Amino acid sequence: QVQLVESGGGLVQTGGSLRLSCAASRSIFSIDFIGWYRQAPGKQRDLVAAITSGGSTNYADSVMGRFTISRDNTKNTVYLQMTSLNPEDTAVYYCLGRLNNYNYWGQGTQVTVSS
């Protein structure tokens, strides 16, 4: 199993940037897939960006070119660098780790973008 802890959320103005962190309790190489999801009030939880153990990445169309997912293997941490934020990015951001076809979720971190 794996525990995931997100951090880095907060309040930012439109056009600002934030970097979210997802710290894993084991080597991220051992985790098949790590994704950042977000959920706004009254909406479903959607994939924002993901990275596989092999390093392949994918992004939702709405964040392409603005968000970047990366990892630091020495810290067992995956990052989500978010730039050019707008109010539509306001949500709770969750980290998911998929290991042996089982999904593990973090507790989430709130991102609020003011207009």
Side-chain angles (χ1 to χ4, degrees):
Q1 63 179 12
V2 58
Q3 285 78 46
L4 302 167
V5 179
E6 303 98 331
S7 61
L11 174 64
V12 64
Q13 292 185 331
T14 294
S17 300
L18 281 175
R19 188 179 78 161
L20 306 183
S21 299
C22 172
S25 60
R26 60 187 292 160
S27 169
I28 54 177
F29 280 132
S30 67
I31 304 172
D32 304 312
F33 170 99
I34 297 179
W36 283 101
Y37 289 73
R38 67 185 180 186
Q39 187 168 23
K43 296 189 177 182
Q44 67 181 21
R45 191 173 298 187
D46 292 325
L47 179 67
V48 174
I51 187 166
T52 68
S53 56
S56 298
T57 60
N58 67 286
Y59 297 90
D61 289 344
S62 60
V63 306
M64 188 79 70
R66 299 189 298 124
F67 291 10
T68 303
I69 190 168
S70 64
R71 62 188 181 184
D72 185 335
N73 304 325
T74 64
K75 297 181 178 179
N76 293 333
T77 300
V78 172
Y79 302 101
L80 185 68
Q81 179 68 49
M82 307 185 294
T83 63
S84 300
L85 286 162
N86 59 67
E88 288 70 40
D89 296 314
T90 294
V92 178
Y93 284 69
Y94 297 91
C95 183
L96 174 144
R98 184 170 300 150
L99 178 64
N100 298 325
N101 292 318
Y102 191 85
N103 291 335
Y104 298 88
W105 290 95
Q107 82 287 351
T109 185
Q110 175 71 47
V111 172
T112 303
V113 184
S114 63
S115 57

